[in-house]
Amino acid sequence: MTLLALRATGLLATFNDAGVLALADVHVARRVALLGGEPDETVQLAVALTVRAVRLGSVCVELASVRSTTTTDEEVDVGALPWPEPPAWQAACERSPVVAASGESGRPLRLVRGLLYLDRYWRQEDSIRRHLQDRAAAPPPPVDVERLRADLEGLPGKQRLAAAVSALRWVSVLAGGPGTGKTTTIARLLAVLYAQASTPPRIALAAPTGKAAARLEEAVREVARELPGNPLPDLRASTLHRLLGRRAGSRTRFRHHSAHRLPYDVVVVDETSMVSLTLMARLIEAVRPDARLILVGDPDQLASVEAGAVLSDIVAADGLPEAALSHSLNSLGESCTVVNGVVTLDRVWRFGGAIAQLATAVRAGDDDAVVALLRSGSNELEFVESAPQSCAGLRSEVMAALETVADAASRGDAPAALEGLGRHRLLCAHRHGPYGVTRWTAEVESWLPTDSPVGRPVLITANDYDTGLYNGDTGVVIQTPDGPRAAFARGGDTMLIPPSRLSEAQTLYAMTVHRSQGSQFDRVSLILPPAGSPLLTRELFYTAVTRAQSGLRILGSEEAVRAAVTRPITRASGLRDSLGIPMDH
């Protein structure tokens, strides 16, 4: 239900009544117009739509197409609203005292190539573009070509190419879906960079969340131990906020910035799809110009909950091969064309069969193929079109997994309890409502015979640096000689924390798809909301599908499945197109 702005008039009131604009959008637009002396209601509408765009994850709004790309939760014909004609609308914005054009500053909004930005987000996007272009135009890193050729021997296909590009370019991007070997490639390319350096390079591993950082650290260590001679040091990973040195009380002010750079020679960022525009701008400006930056992630997964989709923009951006890079790659026997330093791993090593086929069909937006696979009778896939509450298979699988966890927990066997926690995971698109995590957590609790704390899975919901627990960490309460303790995996070790010290934790019987990013489970059950849910998108469905390793159960209607597959997230941004524009434009 949309809250109405009682003092709004004209277009702002009309679009607010229709559910397009929220109360906050209208309030900001009216305030900007009042302070900037802008009486034109079409410009006020443009301001409100720009605020709305950022709230929904976009960086800007394209005036020429916003009429056809705007959707709402309400059953309203958005196209029938009194939209201004784009040419006159853009002209009004160009004349507005609250909108800056190229070369101007000091105004709250900026219009660039038909895209209207809040000025802060344009500056962040432009900063990222300029830093990427500057680093591409700079003389490449010095390399010992013969040594590099020898170090690349034995690396397969795209892993070899990725290692070569990371050695030859200041910024490289390693893209790929789950199971394509991204972490293995990270460890191997770091070994190549380590061998190239005359003195041991300082390497930073980072990720947007504590959970992802811990997983990256553990995975790189595991792969490094298997490399001949174990060539890498004992690397630690941190969150991006901790890497940059977040100042207390601020989400955007950091100790490291353009005037106080990070001290590392190589910075690797995993799960980059989850990094917002703002955080990426802060990161790139903090990395030294003579340091390598390696961005890793899956551009088809869900993006950050904040504005921006930087990884997918970089991966999808047009561009021409760099002559120097192409020459160096050719001399190493690599004839592939590389644009913007992007190498995409496309061979799935971890899993295959029907789940991999389903993921491919989802990524391609082929809803007919997706529905056919779900109804194919594969042992890996189950499609439940009846009410989820009536699915006996779901209840029995959830209970079997929890019983395994509880049995190990009661014996104090933390590794077995944590391993049992990964056997099955119930995922939801929503946090609240009849299809959400809150409702299904209550449902699972009603199935349990007791409410004993021992065996209870827990989810950490905020970073706690005192205990070493991070937002997204999962654990299990086990019985120990000292009483109940919450067990969390840390590589090959187990960390035990008294439950009383878990200040930000909740029971984990169900999880949102967003929180599951970067995790893998043996089997997954996904509760789909009705087709009209705005959260039901291709990226969400793909992310959920690719969490499963051996079995996937989809609970929802065919209409909901088709809606998800055919509804990609559209995040307006100028970065994808502007990366190909010369720096002096």
Side-chain angles (χ1 to χ4, degrees):
M1 176 177 162
T2 302
L3 294 177
L4 300 182
L6 300 180
R7 296 184 181 180
T9 58
L11 289 175
L12 290 180
T14 300
F15 279 72
N16 178 223
D17 291 342
V20 173
L21 298 178
L23 182 62
D25 308 330
V26 175
H27 174 75
V28 172
R30 293 181 70 246
R31 188 68 176 168
V32 168
L34 177 64
L35 295 177
E38 177 52 82
D40 190 328
E41 65 175 354
T42 67
V43 176
Q44 294 176 22
L45 175 63
V47 174
L49 289 170
T50 306
V51 175
R52 174 188 187 270
V54 171
R55 179 169 56 81
L56 297 180
S58 289
V59 175
C60 57
V61 64
E62 185 178 35
L63 296 177
S65 64
V66 65
R67 176 175 183 166
S68 60
T69 57
T70 297
T71 60
T72 73
D73 298 347
E74 314 288 340
E75 293 185 3
V76 61
D77 183 1
V78 175
L81 293 171
W83 294 91
E85 288 300 321
W89 199 9
Q90 180 164 327
C93 289
E94 289 172 348
R95 296 190 302 266
S96 174
V98 302
V99 179
S102 178
E104 297 179 317
S105 61
R107 301 185 185 184
L109 286 94
R110 184 174 294 263
L111 184 63
V112 181
R113 297 185 300 277
L115 302 176
L116 188 62
Y117 296 80
L118 296 178
D119 187 67
R120 166 190 168 189
Y121 290 93
W122 178 82
R123 290 180 181 278
Q124 290 172 357
E125 183 179 278
D126 191 58
S127 173
I128 292 172
R129 175 183 74 90
R130 288 183 174 275
H131 276 93
L132 291 176
Q133 290 180 332
D134 285 344
R135 292 168 192 264
V143 296
D144 181 335
V145 176
E146 292 306 316
R147 176 62 188 267
L148 181 58
R149 181 179 291 110
D151 290 336
L152 293 175
E153 288 297 326
L155 297 185
K158 291 292 184 68
Q159 290 188 11
R160 173 186 169 94
L161 178 63
V165 172
S166 69
L168 296 166
R169 205 173 188 273
W170 293 116
V171 178
S172 57
V173 179
L174 180 62
T180 54
K182 294 191 296 296
T183 305
T184 299
T185 305
I186 291 171
R188 289 177 171 174
L189 67 83
L190 287 178
V192 169
L193 296 181
Y194 209 80
Q196 278 286 313
S198 56
T199 58
R202 291 163 294 181
I203 299 173
L205 302 179
T209 67
K211 178 183 177 183
R215 189 175 53 254
L216 172 64
E217 178 181 312
E218 294 163 8
V220 168
R221 285 181 181 177
E222 182 178 347
V223 175
R225 283 194 294 266
E226 299 173 356
L227 297 176
N230 193 11
L232 293 177
D234 192 21
L235 297 173
R236 303 297 296 250
S238 71
T239 64
L240 282 170
H241 285 86
R242 173 166 271 196
L243 175 73
L244 293 172
R246 184 176 68 181
R247 295 190 181 278
S250 173
R251 299 179 62 191
T252 58
R253 294 181 64 239
F254 299 99
R255 187 163 55 88
H256 291 287
H257 43 73
S258 58
H260 183 211
R261 308 272 191 175
L262 289 164
Y264 300 101
D265 304 301
V266 181
V267 177
V268 179
V269 181
D270 197 13
E271 298 291 352
T272 310
S273 65
M274 300 166 63
V275 179
S276 68
L277 180 83
T278 299
L279 189 54
M280 183 63 76
R282 298 291 178 263
L283 169 69
I284 289 182
E285 73 175 18
V287 176
R288 299 195 331 262
D290 61 342
R292 289 179 173 89
L293 175 63
I294 302 169
L295 304 176
V296 185
D298 184 352
D300 295 311
Q301 282 191 24
L302 285 164
S304 166
V305 294
E306 299 178 48
V310 179
L311 179 68
S312 62
D313 281 343
I314 296 174
V315 171
D318 291 330
L320 297 174
E322 299 157 22
L325 178 62
S326 297
H327 175 76
S328 297
L329 289 174
N330 286 332
S331 71
L332 294 169
E334 297 291 337
S335 59
C336 298
T337 298
V338 175
V339 175
N340 297 322
V342 177
V343 177
T344 300
L345 304 179
D346 49 17
R347 178 176 178 182
V348 178
W349 301 87
R350 187 185 300 155
F351 57 80
I355 294 177
Q357 294 174 38
L358 185 67
T360 299
V362 172
R363 195 168 57 242
D366 189 341
D367 56 322
D368 288 335
V370 168
V371 171
L373 282 165
L374 290 176
R375 290 179 172 160
S376 65
S378 165
N379 292 332
E380 298 179 29
L381 302 175
E382 181 183 353
F383 188 22
V384 180
E385 298 180 74
S386 57
Q389 296 90 330
S390 63
C391 179
L394 173 64
R395 177 168 179 167
S396 63
E397 186 157 25
V398 168
M399 292 301 294
L402 290 176
E403 287 170 5
T404 298
V405 171
D407 180 63
S410 64
R411 293 183 281 106
D413 190 342
L418 291 167
E419 182 181 356
L421 195 60
R423 285 181 52 180
H424 176 265
R425 183 57 48 87
L426 178 60
L427 299 181
C428 303
H430 290 238
R431 187 176 304 278
H432 304 290
Y435 303 92
V437 168
T438 302
R439 187 266 180 247
W440 278 93
T441 295
E443 180 77 12
V444 173
E445 285 182 331
S446 72
W447 299 342
L448 299 174
T450 67
D451 59 355
S452 169
V454 174
R456 182 175 292 268
V458 292
L459 171 70
I460 302 301
T461 57
N463 292 341
D464 185 342
Y465 295 111
D466 290 335
T467 60
L469 295 175
Y470 304 103
N471 186 8
D473 279 346
T474 56
V476 180
V477 178
I478 67 169
Q479 186 64 53
T480 76
D482 298 320
R485 293 291 185 269
F488 297 87
R490 282 293 180 268
D493 300 324
T494 301
M495 182 166 57
L496 299 178
I497 306 291
S500 60
R501 293 190 62 192
L502 302 181
S503 58
E504 299 290 342
Q506 63 188 40
T507 299
L508 175 63
Y509 292 140
M511 173 186 276
T512 62
V513 176
H514 234 118
R515 278 197 183 275
S516 75
Q517 279 188 272
S519 300
Q520 289 289 311
F521 311 102
D522 185 25
R523 295 181 57 82
V524 165
S525 294
L526 172 64
I527 306 289
L528 289 180
S533 168
L535 297 183
L536 199 55
T537 64
R538 182 183 302 167
E539 289 79 3
L540 179 134
F541 196 51
Y542 170 82
T543 300
V545 166
T546 53
R547 299 313 92 200
Q549 293 178 292
S550 64
L552 174 68
R553 176 185 292 109
I554 303 295
L555 300 103
S557 66
E558 177 183 335
E559 183 184 16
V561 170
R562 291 186 181 274
V565 175
T566 57
R567 186 189 294 155
I569 294 175
T570 54
R571 290 197 167 189
S573 158
L575 182 61
R576 183 174 303 190
D577 294 329
S578 67
L579 278 175
I581 297 175
M583 286 182 286
D584 57 348
H585 282 61

